[in-house]
Amino acid sequence: MSELVSYSFSDGVAVLALDNGKANALSPELFEAFNAALDRAEQDRAVVVIKGKEGIFSGGYDLKVMTSSPEAAKGLVAIGSTLSRRLLSHPYPVMAVCTGHAIAKGAFLLLSADYRIGVEGPFKIGLNEVAIGMTMHHVGIELARARLTSSAFTRSVINAELFSPVDAVAAGFLDRVVPAEALEAEAMAMATQLTKLNMTAHRNTKLKTRKALLELLDQSIAEDKLHNL
């Protein structure tokens, strides 16, 4: 597996660790490796655990690509949106371990997971698109609307407010926050608990529950390809 996304599998759990430099920027190459790792995890019938590096989960899309041309930006967003849609419909549980900052698409990855556990600390989590001059794309709006509280939706999507890990739980980006020294053990304990689900029931219930959202995301992915960000 590519060094951009390392893969390890044990006892029904596949850990996908993102590593693309200081900010864990999400590039086309990383997404290619990410999808290959998901293919492998599906073959292994594994609970998926997505984690970043110490201090940062991901700072979002690779800005070199995003600023290179409107077409490159739209293309990268389409790849990322399609990955989020895949995670939301993945046949096995998907868990995100937020190891620090999670900004923009990094935060959207949290919103694409079935369970999210974060680390305590001076970290920021949220959607800064409006603050950096980007009109929020349709997929981002609908994904945030589906997973955040109504108050946090406005604060995040329209006002670009960033949250501490603790406040990110109340907002809907995370389900739980634990001290740094407990993160690895707590994450693996939760992943192990998820392996005990009936996977057929999990898959069918996930697809039934998210049917309308998945259809809306399909429409939104197509719509976003028509407009510059």
Side-chain angles (χ1 to χ4, degrees):
M1 193 61 60
S2 167
E3 62 181 7
L4 295 175
V5 181
S6 64
Y7 183 94
S8 60
F9 173 72
S10 179
D11 298 325
V13 177
V15 177
L16 283 58
L18 312 183
D19 189 351
N20 191 21
K22 184 178 179 180
N24 250 0
L26 301 168
S27 64
E29 295 78 14
L30 186 140
F31 282 126
E32 182 179 0
F34 202 140
N35 276 299
L38 283 175
D39 290 342
R40 186 170 172 183
E42 191 166 347
Q43 291 171 359
D44 286 333
R45 306 174 67 85
V47 169
V48 173
V49 174
I50 304 164
K51 60 184 292 188
K53 303 186 301 180
E54 183 177 352
I56 187 157
F57 183 66
S58 173
Y61 288 123
D62 188 333
L63 290 180
K64 291 181 180 179
V65 178
M66 293 296 289
T67 58
S68 63
S69 73
E71 289 304 314
K74 286 192 293 185
L76 184 55
V77 169
I79 293 169
S81 295
T82 301
L83 175 68
S84 282
R85 200 260 187 224
R86 180 180 184 181
L87 292 173
L88 287 163
S89 58
H90 192 71
Y92 300 96
V94 175
M95 178 178 168
V97 180
C98 188
T99 49
H101 299 292
I103 306 297
K105 186 60 184 182
F108 280 123
L109 288 180
L110 299 179
L111 298 181
S112 306
D114 300 316
Y115 190 86
R116 298 80 47 86
I117 185 169
V119 64
E120 293 176 354
F123 304 118
K124 296 297 183 182
I125 297 171
L127 311 174
N128 70 338
E129 280 82 352
V130 169
I132 62 173
M134 294 177 62
T135 299
M136 185 67 76
H137 55 305
H138 289 86
V139 167
I141 290 169
E142 299 306 336
L143 184 51
R145 196 196 312 274
R147 300 301 303 271
L148 298 177
T149 66
S150 60
S151 172
F153 172 80
T154 296
R155 292 163 65 188
S156 299
V157 173
I158 297 175
N159 297 344
E161 182 176 342
L162 301 179
F163 298 85
S164 70
V166 170
D167 289 340
V169 174
F173 286 104
L174 296 173
D175 295 299
R176 186 157 56 105
V177 171
V178 300
E181 62 271 17
L183 182 63
E184 185 71 20
E186 292 287 341
M188 295 315 296
M190 186 64 202
T192 299
Q193 180 177 325
L194 291 172
T195 66
K196 302 182 187 304
L197 294 176
N198 180 295
M199 294 305 170
T200 299
H202 169 82
R203 179 188 69 244
N204 291 343
T205 301
K206 180 188 292 188
L207 293 177
K208 182 182 292 186
T209 301
R210 294 178 178 162
K211 182 177 185 293
L213 175 61
L214 294 171
E215 291 174 350
L216 183 56
L217 291 182
D218 287 336
Q219 298 168 12
S220 297
I221 289 169
E223 181 71 16
D224 285 332
K225 291 178 180 178
L226 304 177
H227 305 286
N228 292 337
L229 301 170

